[in-house]
Amino acid sequence: MESIEQQLLAAGCRTELIYENPLAAKADIKDFIMEGEAVITFPLGRMRLENKLSEKEGQKANYVLWCPEEFPSDVLITWDFYPVREPGLCMMFFAARGMGDQDLFDGSLQKRTGEYVQYHHGDINAFHISYFRRKEPDERSFHTCNLRKSYGFHLTAQGGDPIPDVADAKPPYHIAVIKKGNVVRFLIDALEIFQFEDDGKTYGPLLAGGKIGFRQLAPFIGEYANLRVYRLFA
Protein backbone atom coordinates (compact mmCIF):
# COMPACT_ATOMS: atom_id res chain seq x y z
CA MET A 1 0.00 0.00 0.00
CA GLU A 2 1.27 3.49 -0.86
CA SER A 3 2.32 5.73 2.02
CA ILE A 4 0.28 8.83 2.77
CA GLU A 5 3.02 11.02 1.31
CA GLN A 6 3.06 8.94 -1.89
CA GLN A 7 -0.73 9.21 -2.15
CA LEU A 8 -0.54 12.99 -1.82
CA LEU A 9 2.28 13.28 -4.35
CA ALA A 10 0.32 11.14 -6.82
CA ALA A 11 -2.60 13.54 -6.36
CA GLY A 12 -0.35 16.47 -7.24
CA CYS A 13 0.02 17.73 -3.66
CA ARG A 14 3.41 18.65 -2.15
CA THR A 15 4.24 18.60 1.56
CA GLU A 16 6.52 20.68 3.77
CA LEU A 17 7.29 19.57 7.32
CA ILE A 18 6.55 22.54 9.61
CA TYR A 19 6.36 20.87 13.04
CA GLU A 20 7.93 17.75 14.50
CA ASN A 21 7.77 16.45 18.06
CA PRO A 22 8.88 12.96 19.16
CA LEU A 23 6.68 13.14 22.30
CA ALA A 24 9.45 11.13 23.96
CA ALA A 25 10.09 13.05 27.19
CA LYS A 26 8.58 15.67 29.49
CA ALA A 27 10.66 18.42 27.88
CA ASP A 28 8.93 17.74 24.55
CA ILE A 29 5.58 18.91 25.91
CA LYS A 30 6.72 21.66 28.28
CA ASP A 31 4.62 24.24 26.40
CA PHE A 32 1.58 22.02 25.84
CA ILE A 33 -1.64 23.10 27.56
CA MET A 34 -3.76 20.68 29.58
CA GLU A 35 -7.48 21.25 30.05
CA GLY A 36 -8.80 18.96 32.77
CA GLU A 37 -6.63 16.64 34.86
CA ALA A 38 -4.44 13.83 33.58
CA VAL A 39 -1.31 11.88 34.39
CA ILE A 40 1.38 12.19 31.71
CA THR A 41 4.39 9.86 31.82
CA PHE A 42 7.01 8.53 29.39
CA PRO A 43 7.79 5.00 30.63
CA LEU A 44 8.74 3.67 27.18
CA GLY A 45 10.05 6.84 25.58
CA ARG A 46 6.66 7.91 24.27
CA MET A 47 3.88 10.03 25.78
CA ARG A 48 1.44 8.06 27.93
CA LEU A 49 -1.87 9.70 28.85
CA GLU A 50 -4.21 8.45 31.55
CA ASN A 51 -6.92 9.96 33.69
CA LYS A 52 -6.07 11.42 37.08
CA LEU A 53 -9.66 11.52 38.33
CA SER A 54 -11.85 8.45 38.72
CA GLU A 55 -14.06 7.61 35.75
CA LYS A 56 -16.93 7.78 38.27
CA GLU A 57 -16.55 11.56 37.94
CA GLY A 58 -17.98 11.27 34.42
CA GLN A 59 -16.98 14.05 32.03
CA LYS A 60 -14.88 15.69 34.74
CA ALA A 61 -12.43 12.79 34.43
CA ASN A 62 -11.77 13.51 30.74
CA TYR A 63 -9.27 15.99 29.35
CA VAL A 64 -7.68 17.61 26.31
CA LEU A 65 -3.94 18.19 25.80
CA TRP A 66 -3.29 20.98 23.28
CA CYS A 67 -0.21 21.57 21.20
CA PRO A 68 0.51 25.33 21.52
CA GLU A 69 1.35 25.86 17.83
CA GLU A 70 -0.98 27.57 15.36
CA PHE A 71 -1.23 25.64 12.11
CA PRO A 72 -2.39 26.68 8.62
CA SER A 73 -5.57 25.53 6.97
CA ASP A 74 -4.11 22.96 4.56
CA VAL A 75 -2.23 20.37 6.61
CA LEU A 76 -1.27 16.74 7.02
CA ILE A 77 -1.15 15.72 10.72
CA THR A 78 0.43 12.37 11.60
CA TRP A 79 1.26 10.50 14.81
CA ASP A 80 1.92 6.98 16.08
CA PHE A 81 -0.70 5.50 18.39
CA TYR A 82 -0.36 2.70 20.96
CA PRO A 83 -3.52 1.52 22.76
CA VAL A 84 -2.58 0.32 26.24
CA ARG A 85 -5.76 -0.11 28.30
CA GLU A 86 -9.46 -0.03 27.49
CA PRO A 87 -12.33 0.83 27.75
CA GLY A 88 -12.22 4.41 26.64
CA LEU A 89 -11.98 6.58 23.56
CA CYS A 90 -9.46 8.83 21.77
CA MET A 91 -9.95 12.07 19.84
CA MET A 92 -7.90 14.46 17.78
CA PHE A 93 -9.09 18.08 17.61
CA PHE A 94 -7.86 20.23 14.72
CA ALA A 95 -8.62 23.62 13.11
CA ALA A 96 -9.64 24.77 16.58
CA ARG A 97 -10.19 28.51 17.14
CA GLY A 98 -12.64 30.79 18.93
CA MET A 99 -16.00 31.37 17.25
CA GLY A 100 -14.97 34.98 16.67
CA ASP A 101 -11.74 33.73 15.02
CA GLN A 102 -9.78 34.34 18.22
CA ASP A 103 -6.79 32.25 19.16
CA LEU A 104 -7.98 29.19 21.08
CA PHE A 105 -6.42 30.52 24.29
CA ASP A 106 -7.63 34.11 23.98
CA GLY A 107 -8.67 35.47 27.36
CA SER A 108 -12.12 36.38 26.06
CA LEU A 109 -13.07 32.71 25.65
CA GLN A 110 -14.73 30.63 28.37
CA LYS A 111 -12.47 28.51 30.54
CA ARG A 112 -12.42 24.86 29.42
CA THR A 113 -11.87 21.98 31.84
CA GLY A 114 -12.15 18.87 29.66
CA GLU A 115 -15.93 18.37 29.81
CA TYR A 116 -17.13 17.53 26.32
CA VAL A 117 -19.97 20.04 26.01
CA GLN A 118 -17.43 22.88 26.31
CA TYR A 119 -15.88 21.76 23.03
CA HIS A 120 -18.97 21.21 20.88
CA HIS A 121 -21.38 23.75 22.38
CA GLY A 122 -18.98 26.25 23.92
CA ASP A 123 -17.49 29.25 22.15
CA ILE A 124 -15.03 27.51 19.82
CA ASN A 125 -15.09 26.01 16.35
CA ALA A 126 -13.21 22.81 15.54
CA PHE A 127 -13.19 19.48 13.81
CA HIS A 128 -12.61 16.41 15.93
CA ILE A 129 -12.12 12.78 15.04
CA SER A 130 -12.92 10.04 17.55
CA TYR A 131 -11.17 6.71 17.06
CA PHE A 132 -10.48 3.58 19.11
CA ARG A 133 -14.02 4.05 20.43
CA ARG A 134 -14.34 1.43 23.18
CA LYS A 135 -16.27 3.33 25.86
CA GLU A 136 -19.96 2.44 25.54
CA PRO A 137 -21.31 -1.09 24.85
CA ASP A 138 -22.37 -0.19 21.29
CA GLU A 139 -18.90 1.21 20.59
CA ARG A 140 -17.22 -1.93 21.85
CA SER A 141 -19.42 -4.20 19.77
CA PHE A 142 -19.21 -2.18 16.51
CA HIS A 143 -16.01 -0.18 15.98
CA THR A 144 -16.19 3.08 14.03
CA CYS A 145 -14.25 6.32 13.66
CA ASN A 146 -16.32 9.51 13.61
CA LEU A 147 -15.71 13.03 12.33
CA ARG A 148 -17.67 15.83 14.01
CA LYS A 149 -17.72 19.54 13.29
CA SER A 150 -18.36 22.17 15.92
CA TYR A 151 -19.86 24.59 16.88
CA GLY A 152 -22.58 22.01 17.18
CA PHE A 153 -22.43 18.25 17.40
CA HIS A 154 -22.53 17.54 13.67
CA LEU A 155 -21.58 13.99 12.68
CA THR A 156 -20.20 14.60 9.21
CA ALA A 157 -18.44 11.33 8.34
CA GLN A 158 -17.97 7.82 9.69
CA GLY A 159 -15.93 4.75 8.81
CA GLY A 160 -14.91 1.37 10.19
CA ASP A 161 -12.05 1.28 12.72
CA PRO A 162 -9.41 -1.31 11.70
CA ILE A 163 -7.54 -1.22 15.02
CA PRO A 164 -8.28 -4.35 17.09
CA ASP A 165 -8.86 -4.39 20.83
CA VAL A 166 -5.81 -4.02 23.08
CA ALA A 167 -5.39 -7.77 23.54
CA ASP A 168 -4.86 -8.26 19.79
CA ALA A 169 -3.31 -4.92 18.86
CA LYS A 170 0.14 -4.75 17.26
CA PRO A 171 1.08 -1.08 17.51
CA PRO A 172 2.23 1.39 16.54
CA TYR A 173 -0.63 2.47 14.29
CA HIS A 174 0.32 5.37 12.02
CA ILE A 175 -2.58 7.79 12.00
CA ALA A 176 -3.09 10.70 9.62
CA VAL A 177 -5.49 13.59 9.22
CA ILE A 178 -5.49 15.47 5.93
CA LYS A 179 -7.28 18.81 5.69
CA LYS A 180 -7.00 20.50 2.32
CA GLY A 181 -9.42 23.09 1.03
CA ASN A 182 -12.87 21.89 1.98
CA VAL A 183 -11.92 18.19 2.23
CA VAL A 184 -11.00 16.21 5.35
CA ARG A 185 -9.55 12.68 5.12
CA PHE A 186 -8.66 10.25 7.91
CA LEU A 187 -6.27 7.32 7.47
CA ILE A 188 -4.84 4.56 9.64
CA ASP A 189 -1.71 2.83 8.33
CA ALA A 190 -2.35 4.57 4.98
CA LEU A 191 -5.83 3.00 4.73
CA GLU A 192 -8.49 5.66 4.18
CA ILE A 193 -11.24 5.40 6.80
CA PHE A 194 -13.43 8.24 5.57
CA GLN A 195 -13.47 11.42 3.50
CA PHE A 196 -15.67 14.46 4.05
CA GLU A 197 -16.31 17.32 1.64
CA ASP A 198 -17.55 20.40 3.49
CA ASP A 199 -19.95 22.64 1.55
CA GLY A 200 -19.51 25.47 4.07
CA LYS A 201 -23.27 25.70 4.62
CA THR A 202 -24.83 22.51 5.97
CA TYR A 203 -22.66 22.36 9.10
CA GLY A 204 -21.59 26.00 9.29
CA PRO A 205 -18.83 27.99 7.57
CA LEU A 206 -15.61 26.39 6.41
CA LEU A 207 -12.92 26.13 9.07
CA ALA A 208 -9.40 27.33 8.36
CA GLY A 209 -6.29 26.91 10.50
CA GLY A 210 -5.93 26.59 14.26
CA LYS A 211 -4.74 24.41 17.12
CA ILE A 212 -4.60 20.62 17.44
CA GLY A 213 -5.14 18.59 20.61
CA PHE A 214 -5.34 15.05 21.98
CA ARG A 215 -8.37 14.00 24.04
CA GLN A 216 -9.02 10.78 25.96
CA LEU A 217 -11.99 9.40 27.88
CA ALA A 218 -11.37 7.69 31.20
CA PRO A 219 -10.25 5.05 32.00
CA PHE A 220 -8.40 4.60 28.70
CA ILE A 221 -4.60 4.65 28.65
CA GLY A 222 -2.93 5.44 25.37
CA GLU A 223 0.55 6.30 24.15
CA TYR A 224 1.57 8.69 21.39
CA ALA A 225 4.80 9.36 19.51
CA ASN A 226 6.25 11.14 16.48
CA LEU A 227 3.76 13.96 16.04
CA ARG A 228 4.35 15.70 12.72
CA VAL A 229 2.50 18.44 10.87
CA TYR A 230 3.07 19.20 7.19
CA ARG A 231 1.89 22.17 5.19
CA LEU A 232 0.16 21.08 1.98
CA PHE A 233 0.66 22.77 -1.41
CA ALA A 234 -1.23 22.17 -4.62
Side-chain angles (χ1 to χ4, degrees):
M1 183 179 294
E2 289 186 325
S3 70
I4 299 159
E5 292 79 6
Q6 289 172 328
Q7 291 181 34
L8 288 168
L9 186 62
C13 184
R14 296 181 294 111
T15 64
E16 176 194 2
L17 181 65
I18 57 174
Y19 180 80
E20 185 172 18
N21 191 326
L23 303 177
K26 187 176 181 180
D28 294 332
I29 61 164
K30 62 182 178 63
D31 296 324
F32 279 44
I33 298 168
M34 174 63 71
E35 294 175 348
E37 298 187 58
V39 177
I40 308 178
T41 56
F42 300 85
L44 298 172
R46 49 186 181 256
M47 182 175 72
R48 174 175 290 189
L49 297 180
E50 57 186 298
N51 51 295
K52 184 175 182 179
L53 303 179
S54 169
E55 64 174 311
K56 295 179 181 178
E57 296 285 336
Q59 281 293 330
K60 292 182 179 180
N62 304 328
Y63 49 89
V64 181
L65 179 65
W66 293 102
C67 175
E69 302 295 324
E70 186 79 1
F71 294 111
S73 182
D74 291 353
V75 290
L76 163 64
I77 307 162
T78 69
W79 67 97
D80 292 330
F81 171 64
Y82 301 73
V84 177
R85 185 185 74 187
E86 51 188 271
L89 184 150
C90 303
M91 293 184 187
M92 168 58 78
F93 282 88
F94 57 103
R97 289 186 62 83
M99 290 182 66
D101 201 34
Q102 309 100 316
D103 182 90
L104 188 66
F105 305 115
D106 189 279
S108 66
L109 299 178
Q110 301 167 13
K111 181 180 179 180
R112 299 178 297 270
T113 57
E115 296 175 62
Y116 194 28
V117 68
Q118 300 167 348
Y119 300 87
H120 61 73
H121 275 86
D123 54 4
I124 69 172
N125 291 323
F127 279 112
H128 67 270
I129 294 172
S130 56
Y131 62 99
F132 204 80
R133 299 172 67 246
R134 308 291 198 275
K135 181 68 172 176
E136 303 300 330
D138 62 324
E139 296 169 349
R140 296 197 298 271
S141 62
F142 190 74
H143 301 166
T144 63
C145 302
N146 295 344
L147 172 68
R148 293 188 184 272
K149 183 180 178 182
S150 303
Y151 178 83
F153 193 58
H154 306 297
L155 178 61
T156 60
Q158 188 176 64
D161 184 351
I163 302 178
D165 293 340
V166 168
D168 297 314
K170 294 181 179 180
Y173 295 97
H174 189 61
I175 299 186
V177 176
I178 298 171
K179 181 180 179 296
K180 188 174 189 301
N182 66 333
V183 176
V184 174
R185 298 172 60 200
F186 182 60
L187 304 94
I188 298 177
D189 285 350
L191 173 69
E192 184 168 280
I193 307 304
F194 57 69
Q195 183 173 145
F196 167 62
E197 185 172 344
D198 194 347
D199 62 13
K201 298 177 181 179
T202 305
Y203 305 111
L206 295 177
L207 302 185
K211 299 287 195 298
I212 66 175
F214 296 96
R215 176 177 173 84
Q216 284 188 183
L217 272 61
F220 182 74
I221 298 177
E223 294 180 346
Y224 305 83
N226 302 318
L227 174 64
R228 296 185 178 95
V229 181
Y230 302 79
R231 186 193 304 270
L232 300 182
F233 300 91

